[in-house]
Amino acid sequence: MQRKFQRLASLGIVLASLAVAQDRTSTLIYGGDWSDLITLDPQVSYEFSGGLITDNLYETLVKFEGADLSTLKPGLAESWKVERGGDSWVITFKLRKGSKFSTGREVTAKDVVYSFDRAIQLKGPSSFLFIDIAQLKVGGTKAVDPYTVEVRIPKTASPGSFLSILTFNIGGIVDSEEVQKHAKGGDFGKEWLTNNSAGSGPFRLVRWDRGSQVLLEANPNARLKPKLQRIIMREIKEPTVLRTALESGEIDIAEGLTPEALKAVAANPRFKTLKADSLRLNYLGMNVKPGSPFANPKVREAMRWAVNQDELVNGLVQGNGTKIQTIIPKGLLGYNNALPYKYDPARAKKLLAEAGYPNGFEFELLTSTGLCGGGIPCQDIAAKIQSDLAKAGVKANIKAIANAEALKIYRAQNHQVYLGGWSPDFPDPDGNATPLADFAAKSLAWRNVWEDATSSKLANQGSLETDPSKRAALYKLLTDYALKSGPYVILYQPAIPLGFSAKVEGYVRNAQGQVRFENISKQP
């Protein structure tokens, strides 16, 4: 009898081991610094990590596929058309029949109307995309029938830009019944959707353990069937821990490897590596509010002469980034390759003296404890900038805190100088021009209190111009102007360094930062 029990126990261990192995094969563990994650509400999320995750929880009417950011493809809408309608553009979408939310309810036109109106009424960080760029108003989206949606935007807005905006997570369609069921005090379900999902994407949110991980499971009702059953987004802020986790097999994908770790991983046949293109810019944002040293344009110009960009890109970043000084990234119309600023601390000192700071000044440099673009710890970049500025007589006191907390301070205009990253919300130059140049958009220009009539006018003109050559000329004027007068020191345009287990297949990341998890698989 005892032997029988021993055999049964042994069999149980074997079966349990097989179950774990099978489960691990159907689970992808994706490690990276997700500390900027504030919410998983698609109409509120405006951070890199939030976009990466919500793209897989919610479907949009139109989308980009693979690495191609030039051709819109059908999403929840099987077709669409743009027509002139008097004083407005009329964009009509025909929805697919049979698309279902994770609740089992069918996606219909009323959900699209609710989602678009919700995005406007919430007035979240990305609402300006609908309100200011698309100039969409509540009531501008109508359900013609259960599978037909009509959107009207003014002739002063660009229908092309609007369609591109819809590929961003603000265009994610939520289950209107489910969200309203959880609404509190007119919040349109914002509190509930922070930690829950109500989408038709290939995955649904199971739980979010802040500071630890986000667990996604395959949506059983999804039209797009994923190849994996679950995705675990493991938060790993420390670069050495990230590398160790990949090499030990604890995680399958490591995003944000340091240049040294990337080289080591690439030399091991158990792994694959990728330097993914990005439209991201790493930069310094200077608060130019009255009374600040940075309110003086000569101080801002001195900062640009005082940063040794060549040493930063070729040294710390080790080539995992492109030197750039203008506000529209390489890869988009309007990219300006001008590089007028060279490292010249003597010239910076002269400008500071002319601005009334012959002995320099002191300020707080706010940054994240996590990684910046190219897999470099933000604190290392901050330390390099601190060292450069000191040679021009400027003392930078580094304040490094969790990314989400740093963003809250930055968004409240309570910083002096902020070191971080920015990527356009849609692959169009207006995705950078309006946020960085138009104060009224309440994005980066607003955060840095840069209210400039010239930059706002040029950004608005560029967004509405339909002739590519004329549009490029407007953006040349804008980028040259912001380069001289703006509140930014653009540092570099990073590549995204990733390491993978050789078992991972189907991973594609476009320059907008989108990864379609449903296409990823793992070999046994």
Side-chain angles (χ1 to χ4, degrees):
M1 182 67 71
Q2 187 175 358
R3 288 181 181 176
K4 183 178 180 181
F5 283 143
Q6 286 175 337
R7 286 198 303 271
L8 288 172
S10 298
L11 179 61
I13 292 170
V14 171
L15 290 173
S17 299
L18 288 172
V20 169
Q22 184 180 13
D23 183 65
R24 189 66 177 85
T25 302
S26 62
T27 300
L28 182 86
I29 304 180
Y30 192 157
D33 182 1
W34 319 129
S35 60
D36 66 340
L37 194 55
I38 295 173
T39 176
L40 289 168
D41 184 330
Q43 272 87 52
V44 182
S45 173
Y46 199 49
E47 298 72 45
F48 295 112
S49 302
L52 178 64
I53 296 169
T54 55
D55 277 338
N56 292 280
L57 300 175
Y58 298 89
E59 287 187 277
T60 51
L61 296 182
V62 294
K63 63 181 181 179
F64 294 111
E65 289 184 351
D68 180 10
L69 292 176
S70 62
T71 309
L72 285 171
K73 300 287 187 180
L76 281 172
E78 61 183 10
S79 65
W80 62 94
K81 62 179 179 179
V82 180
E83 300 172 298
R84 294 180 180 271
D87 60 352
S88 63
W89 296 102
V90 181
I91 308 166
T92 305
F93 299 92
K94 289 290 184 181
L95 303 184
R96 298 177 189 270
K97 295 182 180 179
S99 296
K100 291 185 177 181
F101 292 110
S102 56
T103 57
R105 297 187 186 96
E106 187 178 18
V107 181
T108 64
K110 70 178 176 62
D111 299 300
V112 178
V113 174
Y114 178 84
S115 299
F116 287 8
D117 286 351
R118 180 178 187 270
I120 297 168
Q121 291 170 300
L122 281 174
K123 295 181 180 178
S126 60
S127 293
F128 79 94
L129 296 169
F130 275 12
I131 297 170
D132 299 313
I133 297 178
Q135 300 175 42
L136 181 62
K137 293 180 170 57
V138 172
T141 307
K142 294 182 179 179
V144 178
D145 61 48
Y147 302 104
T148 307
V149 177
E150 181 184 278
V151 181
R152 288 180 178 266
I153 59 174
K155 278 289 181 61
T156 51
S158 164
S161 292
F162 175 63
L163 288 168
S164 291
I165 287 169
L166 292 186
T167 67
F168 186 55
N169 50 277
I170 192 174
I173 305 305
V174 304
D175 182 336
S176 57
E177 289 186 39
E178 189 68 16
V179 173
Q180 272 304 100
K181 190 166 68 176
H182 296 280
K184 293 181 181 178
D187 76 342
F188 299 96
K190 177 182 174 182
E191 180 182 340
W192 183 76
L193 271 185
T194 297
N195 307 287
N196 296 275
S197 66
S200 62
F203 290 89
R204 66 182 184 89
L205 175 64
V206 176
R207 60 183 296 166
W208 171 20
D209 300 318
R210 280 171 171 74
S212 176
Q213 63 184 12
V214 179
L215 173 59
L216 312 180
E217 281 189 352
N219 174 4
N221 298 307
R223 176 179 60 86
L224 301 170
K225 300 296 183 185
K227 297 176 181 178
L228 296 166
Q229 284 303 301
R230 61 196 59 81
I231 307 286
I232 298 174
M233 307 293 291
R234 184 74 51 78
E235 184 171 320
I236 304 175
K237 295 188 284 289
E238 176 57 48
T240 56
V241 177
L242 184 69
R243 175 182 171 180
T244 300
L246 178 65
E247 292 178 333
S248 69
E250 179 187 337
I251 62 176
D252 303 298
I253 301 177
E255 178 173 319
L257 290 171
T258 63
E260 294 83 1
L262 194 69
K263 289 177 184 176
V265 169
N268 190 326
R270 293 173 46 228
F271 304 104
K272 300 179 287 189
T273 59
L274 172 68
K275 290 183 182 180
D277 290 336
S278 84
L279 297 176
R280 182 171 176 170
L281 297 178
N282 270 68
Y283 70 100
L284 298 177
M286 299 173 280
N287 193 325
V288 303
K289 64 184 177 183
S292 163
F294 306 105
N296 190 316
K298 288 191 175 183
V299 172
R300 302 199 293 272
E301 187 176 358
M303 291 284 285
R304 289 186 274 270
W305 288 107
V307 173
N308 194 328
Q309 196 179 13
D310 288 326
E311 281 190 1
L312 177 62
V313 174
N314 299 323
L316 264 182
V317 181
Q318 295 187 35
N320 288 328
T322 301
K323 183 178 177 181
I324 180 174
Q325 294 181 354
T326 51
I327 64 172
I328 294 176
K330 187 176 183 180
L332 295 180
L333 176 76
Y335 163 63
N336 184 341
N337 63 2
L339 297 168
Y341 296 103
K342 316 294 181 187
Y343 180 53
D344 192 339
R347 187 165 183 172
K349 282 184 178 180
K350 182 174 183 295
L351 285 163
L352 291 173
E354 292 172 3
Y357 297 95
N359 300 314
F361 62 93
E362 189 172 341
F363 72 92
E364 182 180 88
L365 176 56
L366 175 67
T367 193
S368 164
T369 52
L371 295 176
C372 277
I376 312 301
C378 293
Q379 293 178 83
D380 289 357
I381 295 175
K384 168 60 180 160
I385 291 168
Q386 181 187 55
S387 174
D388 289 346
L389 294 178
K391 294 168 187 173
V394 178
K395 183 179 180 182
N397 299 311
I398 298 170
K399 180 179 181 178
I401 57 177
N403 205 0
E405 295 305 311
L407 283 169
K408 287 179 182 177
I409 293 171
Y410 187 36
R411 288 175 178 168
Q413 302 175 318
N414 288 331
H415 66 296
Q416 287 186 285
V417 177
Y418 172 77
L419 165 63
W422 171 265
S423 187
D425 306 319
F426 54 103
D428 184 272
D430 192 44
N432 267 41
T434 290
L436 275 76
D438 187 2
F439 181 84
K442 289 203 168 181
S443 189
L444 296 198
W446 183 87
R447 293 177 198 176
N448 291 292
V449 201
W450 189 45
E451 189 170 9
D452 186 286
T454 300
S455 66
S456 295
K457 181 180 179 180
L458 287 169
N460 291 332
Q461 287 176 329
S463 70
L464 298 175
E465 180 56 62
T466 57
D467 182 287
S469 60
K470 292 180 180 178
R471 197 176 190 216
L474 286 167
Y475 285 132
K476 176 66 165 60
L477 292 173
L478 174 61
T479 52
D480 282 343
Y481 184 81
L483 179 61
K484 176 73 174 176
S485 304
Y488 313 107
V489 180
I490 307 298
L491 300 172
Y492 62 100
Q493 183 174 342
I496 308 298
L498 297 116
F500 308 83
S501 161
K503 295 179 180 180
V504 174
E505 297 180 341
Y507 182 98
V508 177
R509 182 191 185 100
N510 67 27
Q512 196 171 324
Q514 294 171 324
V515 179
R516 303 295 179 193
F517 290 167
E518 73 269 19
N519 296 326
I520 301 176
S521 62
K522 283 176 63 178
Q523 298 174 354

